[in-house]
């Protein structure tokens, strides 16, 4: 059985770094996949869907589930769900701020008419400190992740709350407190519990949390960066108690800073140890990467493996041997300060796949950036997906002109476009292309659907931020399983979680 890619809201920051961040791209053949840069696109893809996403009607109450092993099945009914950002009000309105909507899956796929919209107060989270104008209840999707920390079959929502300035004696900074809002048959609800950190890491807290099953015991774990003097990686192993205490912790890692990227938890519930990638902080250039491999029953190795430079990344089984691999590549981003605009020849336009069974990485060249495109920010990162359900992952990559799925010998454009006019303003053609945001099997047929998103303006064009239009495709075809717009979705009638 193939494992489904974690699907939730992802921004350019999330993909490339996360992006969700989730989010983060260039065309590339994978190890053992074949295909050359000039291959013709496969039939079935290549044209945007004709219908633009519309705002869905009034929301229905989601069904109460009986429990799940899938961390993305928020109500535990057996179907994966998706977290997306929504704006309460408009950018021009005083007090407009962000919310997070859970769009629920079904036997027919994601159903945008069945959703719940959450603000901070709905999850029992305090207002951030300091509070931006109108932002007391603001909640960004990139702040949240889902994981069943207490093992009751219902995923919980985990966030990192910015608190008052604190000090550990040497460093002063805003304390970031990880908190969990416990899930249930109708989704997360009620007060949030502070997650307990190891002694010596409680003064400044922890941030950049990711989920995983790092020891392969079937319990969901968390990893984050503890912000004490000398930022360090901390792993919190589940199950967690109702008081927020992990079963055990591990802090025996070298100093680390940057972004954490964890392999996906198998949604079937079959235990599988998930590795962890630490992507070093960057200033636009391609990042250094360190891989901490997972050990069944033992947790993450404390000595990391240095991988090649690259800011695009994906975990998946790219060669179909049943073992998870990791891909690292050039996402096109560059530091535009004089003297720092270029990367080494072995980094520029290339990607390497590191086999899960070990051995030398397999490197592939990427096609050249089109003359009509190209920015210092790059097009984005990689998304692993298995749209045909054969157990071998392909990779969905963002390009300056849309997205392409590379799957074996096939290269299939997967294109969707936002409206030509948005908010009364015309959108230039080069800014209408949707970006890959994730993938997942939302209808339970054993095949992944692809998730693309789009938003108006330069923020989305350059960074993938402020997305408002969503497409869930039928694999790499021109057909959509569903599509929707989030413009006005968080109206006054939906400001509260149901």
């Amino acid at each position: 059985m193939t494992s489904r890619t974690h699907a939730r809201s992802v921004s350019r920051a999330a993909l490339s770094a996360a992006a969700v961040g989730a989010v983060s791209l260039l065309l590339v053949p994978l190890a053992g996949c074949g295909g050359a840069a000039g291959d013709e696109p496969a039939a079935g893809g290549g044209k945007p869907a004709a219908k633009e996403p519309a705002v869905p009607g009034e929301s229905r109450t989601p069904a109460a589930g009986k429990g799940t092993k899938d961390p993305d099945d928020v109500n535990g009914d057996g179907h994966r769900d998706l977290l997306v950002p929504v704006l309460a009000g408009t950018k021009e309105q005083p007090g407009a701020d962000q919310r997070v909507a859970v769009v629920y899956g079904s036997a027919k796929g994601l159903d945008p008419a069945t959703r719940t919209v959450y603000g901070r107060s709905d999850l029992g989270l305090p207002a951030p400190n300091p509070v931006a104008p109108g932002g007391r209840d603001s909640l960004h999707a990139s702040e949240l992740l889902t994981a069943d920390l207490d093992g009751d079959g219902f995923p919980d929502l985990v966030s990192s709350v910015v608190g008052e300035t604190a000090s550990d004696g040497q460093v002063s900074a805003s304390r970031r407190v990880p908190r969990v809002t416990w899930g249930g048959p109708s989704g997360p609800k009620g007060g949030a519990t502070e997650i307990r950190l190891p002694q010596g890491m409680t003064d400044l807290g922890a941030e950049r949390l990711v989920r995983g099953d790092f020891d392969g015991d079937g319990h969901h774990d968390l990893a984050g960066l503890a912000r004490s003097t000398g930022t360090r990686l901390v792993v919190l192993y589940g199950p967690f108690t109702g008081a927020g205490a992990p079963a055990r912790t591990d802090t025996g890692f070298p100093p680390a800073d940057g972004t954490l990227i964890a392999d996906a938890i198998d949604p079937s519930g079959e235990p599988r140890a998930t590795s962890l990638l630490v992507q070093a902080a960057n200033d636009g250039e391609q990042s250094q990467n360190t891989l901490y491999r997972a050990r069944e029953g033992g947790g993450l190795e404390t000595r990391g493996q240095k991988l090649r430079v690259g800011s695009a990344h994906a975990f998946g089984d790219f060669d179909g041997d049943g073992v998870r691999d990791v891909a690292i590549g050039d996402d096109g981003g560059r530091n535009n300060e004089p003297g720092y605009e270029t990367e080494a020849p072995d980094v520029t336009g290339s990607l390497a796949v590191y086999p899960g069974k070990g051995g030398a990485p397999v490197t592939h060249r990427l096609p050249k950036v089109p003359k009509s495109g190209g920015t210092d920010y790059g097009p984005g990162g990689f998304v692993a997906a298995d749209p045909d359900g054969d157990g071998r992952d392909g990779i969905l990559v963002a390009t300056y002109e849309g997205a392409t799925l590379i799957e074996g010998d096939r290269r299939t454009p997967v294109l969707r476009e936002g409206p030509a006019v948005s908010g009364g303003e015309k959108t230039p053609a080069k800014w209408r292309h949707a970006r890959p945001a994730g993938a997942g099997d939302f209808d339970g047929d054993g095949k992944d659907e692809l998730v693309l998103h789009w938003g108006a303006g330069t923020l989305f064009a350059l960074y993938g931020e402020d997305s408002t239009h969503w497409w869930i495709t039928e694999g790499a075809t021109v057909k959509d399983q569903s599509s929707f717009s989030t413009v006005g979705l968080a109206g006054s009638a939906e400001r509260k979680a149901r």
Side-chain angles (χ1 to χ4, degrees), residues 195-292:
I195 294 174
R196 297 189 182 180
L197 297 173
Q199 285 286 351
M201 295 186 176
T202 59
D203 293 327
L204 297 178
E207 61 182 346
R208 304 177 195 177
L209 299 176
V210 295
R211 72 183 189 197
D213 181 5
F214 302 117
D215 55 2
D217 66 352
H219 295 294
H220 297 177
D221 312 318
L222 298 176
L225 295 176
R227 307 177 75 238
S228 54
T229 301
T231 305
R232 304 188 69 85
L233 175 64
V234 56
V235 180
L236 311 174
Y237 289 96
F240 289 67
T241 69
R248 62 187 178 94
T249 61
D250 190 354
T251 60
F253 302 91
D257 197 4
T259 301
L260 305 183
I261 303 101
D263 193 3
I265 296 172
D266 195 319
S268 70
E270 181 178 349
R272 182 189 72 210
T274 56
S275 297
L276 180 70
L277 184 71
V278 179
Q279 188 176 80
N282 67 67
D283 191 23
E285 73 278 3
Q286 299 300 291
S287 293
Q288 299 285 340
N289 295 279
T290 303
L291 178 67
Y292 292 91

Side-chain angles (χ1 to χ4, degrees), residues 330-366:
D330 179 8
D331 76 343
R334 294 293 183 268
N335 185 328
N336 61 5
E337 296 182 9
Y340 296 90
E341 309 99 324
T342 61
E343 294 285 346
D346 60 341
V347 172
T348 297
S350 70
L351 173 141
V353 175
Y354 291 81
K357 290 184 176 180
V362 181
T363 301
H364 304 272
R365 300 304 304 172
L366 305 175

Side-chain angles (χ1 to χ4, degrees), residues 111-479:
D111 179 11
T114 306
R115 60 187 184 272
T116 305
V117 177
Y118 292 100
R120 303 186 73 87
S121 58
D122 300 315
L123 300 179
L125 301 173
N129 184 33
V131 178
R136 181 168 297 278
D137 206 31
S138 183
L139 182 65
H140 290 260
S142 60
E143 298 178 56
L144 293 178
L145 61 88
T146 54
D148 184 8
L149 297 188
D150 56 1
D152 66 351
F154 297 100
D156 314 303
L157 284 184
V158 182
S159 61
S160 186
V161 177
V162 179
E164 297 180 353
T165 300
S167 173
D168 68 351
Q170 299 185 52
V171 176
S172 294
S174 297
R175 185 169 185 253
R176 292 185 177 268
V177 184
R179 297 190 184 224
V180 54
T181 305
W182 303 106
S186 299
K189 189 175 294 185
T193 302
E194 186 171 326
I195 294 174
R196 297 189 182 180
L197 297 173
Q199 285 286 351
M201 295 186 176
T202 59
D203 293 327
L204 297 178
E207 61 182 346
R208 304 177 195 177
L209 299 176
V210 295
R211 72 183 189 197
D213 181 5
F214 302 117
D215 55 2
D217 66 352
H219 295 294
H220 297 177
D221 312 318
L222 298 176
L225 295 176
R227 307 177 75 238
S228 54
T229 301
T231 305
R232 304 188 69 85
L233 175 64
V234 56
V235 180
L236 311 174
Y237 289 96
F240 289 67
T241 69
R248 62 187 178 94
T249 61
D250 190 354
T251 60
F253 302 91
D257 197 4
T259 301
L260 305 183
I261 303 101
D263 193 3
I265 296 172
D266 195 319
S268 70
E270 181 178 349
R272 182 189 72 210
T274 56
S275 297
L276 180 70
L277 184 71
V278 179
Q279 188 176 80
N282 67 67
D283 191 23
E285 73 278 3
Q286 299 300 291
S287 293
Q288 299 285 340
N289 295 279
T290 303
L291 178 67
Y292 292 91
R293 294 189 180 274
R295 299 171 296 174
E296 297 286 349
L300 294 175
E301 296 179 346
T302 55
R303 177 175 294 182
Q305 175 188 357
K306 297 293 184 181
L307 305 185
R308 57 154 284 172
V309 170
S311 294
H313 47 75
F315 284 98
D317 182 4
F318 302 122
D319 52 17
D321 64 356
V323 180
R324 304 288 285 182
D325 315 310
V326 62
I328 303 292
D330 179 8
D331 76 343
R334 294 293 183 268
N335 185 328
N336 61 5
E337 296 182 9
Y340 296 90
E341 309 99 324
T342 61
E343 294 285 346
D346 60 341
V347 172
T348 297
S350 70
L351 173 141
V353 175
Y354 291 81
K357 290 184 176 180
V362 181
T363 301
H364 304 272
R365 300 304 304 172
L366 305 175
K368 295 181 179 179
V369 175
K371 293 181 179 180
S372 60
T375 69
D376 292 329
Y377 304 94
F382 305 140
V383 173
D386 182 13
D388 57 10
D390 67 352
R392 178 180 180 177
D393 290 312
I395 189 166
L396 183 66
V397 301
T399 72
Y400 289 100
E401 301 169 320
T404 294
L405 178 73
I406 301 172
E407 187 183 25
D409 294 331
R410 298 161 58 93
R411 287 190 170 202
T412 308
V414 185
L415 309 180
R416 301 295 186 272
E417 289 187 348
V421 178
S422 178
E425 297 183 2
K426 292 184 178 180
T427 301
K430 67 178 181 179
W431 290 355
R432 291 181 61 191
H433 305 304
R435 293 174 179 258
D441 181 9
F442 301 107
D443 57 7
D445 67 351
K447 301 176 182 179
D448 280 342
E449 290 79 55
L450 309 179
V451 181
L452 289 87
H453 64 162
W454 177 88
T458 55
L459 279 180
F460 186 85
L462 295 179
Y463 305 108
E465 296 181 1
D466 296 336
S467 51
T468 56
H469 291 63
W470 295 79
W471 296 261
I472 292 79
T473 74
E474 289 284 4
T477 72
V478 297
K479 295 182 179 179

Side-chain angles (χ1 to χ4, degrees), residues 19-97:
V20 351
V23 224
S24 100
L25 287 170
L26 295 171
L27 303 184
V28 34
L30 300 179
C33 291
D39 288 350
E40 291 296 322
K47 291 184 179 181
K51 186 177 180 181
E52 293 176 357
V55 179
E58 185 176 353
S59 178
R60 297 188 291 266
T61 302
K66 297 181 179 179
T68 183
K69 296 291 187 179
D70 185 349
D72 290 310
D73 181 4
V74 175
N75 60 333
D77 68 345
H79 296 287
R80 310 202 88 187
D81 308 316
L82 181 71
L83 272 63
V84 299
V86 296
L87 186 68
T90 67
K91 293 179 181 179
E92 294 76 22
Q93 291 177 333
D97 55 12

